Amino acid sequence: MDNRILDMVSSPADLKLLTNEELSILAQEVREEIVTTASQTGGHVASSLGAVEIILALHSMLDCPHDKIVFDVGHQAYAHKLITGRLDDFGTLRTYGRLAGLPTPAASPYDVPPSRPASASLPRAPALAQARAHSRS
């Protein structure tokens, strides 16, 4: 797969340089990478595929890793992992000792621990924002 836009994205800052057309192509490339990898390693494909555009949009507009993205369930974060510098390791997704399927703050400054159970993100996001505000004072 030569000349993929995905291969040129190493951080969310790179998304800010792309046109809307290139972002659309990137979304398709991200989906293909998720399907290809998950077919070999397993994974929660539907939730990740459904979140691709919103993840690209959020990362295009926010100042990550300063701004944090809280996923309702960590299984939505595969696109997030791909555009935050983990493309080379993505083929090891969900394999022992390698790239975790869920966001892992120890592995990346872009990650926030995943919410468990679903909908726990609703109170988590304001709490993280409040903690960040207090750390500045």
Side-chain angles (χ1 to χ4, degrees):
M1 297 209 166
D2 297 340
N3 300 319
R4 293 189 316 175
I5 295 170
L6 180 57
D7 294 324
M8 298 182 284
V9 174
S10 60
S11 78
D14 296 329
L15 301 181
K16 296 174 186 342
L17 305 174
L18 300 177
T19 66
N20 287 339
E21 181 180 348
E22 290 168 328
L23 285 169
S24 180
I25 294 167
L26 176 61
Q28 183 58 38
E29 292 174 357
V30 165
R31 279 194 181 82
E32 290 169 3
E33 189 72 26
I34 290 169
V35 169
T36 299
T37 299
S39 69
Q40 297 168 6
T41 64
H44 297 270
V45 177
S47 54
S48 277
L49 294 180
V52 170
E53 276 84 358
I54 195 163
I55 290 169
L56 294 180
L58 287 169
H59 276 297
S60 294
M61 297 186 307
L62 298 175
D63 179 23
C64 297
H66 173 72
D67 295 325
K68 301 294 183 187
I69 298 174
V70 178
F71 294 93
D72 192 40
V73 291
H75 305 302
Q76 299 165 333
Y78 293 174
H80 165 79
K81 288 177 175 284
L82 285 167
I83 62 168
T84 55
R86 293 173 270 187
L87 173 61
D88 290 343
D89 292 329
F90 199 69
T92 68
L93 180 71
R94 296 173 44 109
T95 57
Y96 182 75
R98 300 303 303 262
L99 187 63
L102 302 174
T104 310
S108 175
Y110 294 99
D111 288 1
V112 172
S115 299
R116 290 183 185 108
S119 299
S121 61
L122 297 175
R124 175 174 273 189
L128 287 170
Q130 188 174 25
R132 182 175 69 184
H134 284 300
S135 71
R136 291 183 191 161
S137 1

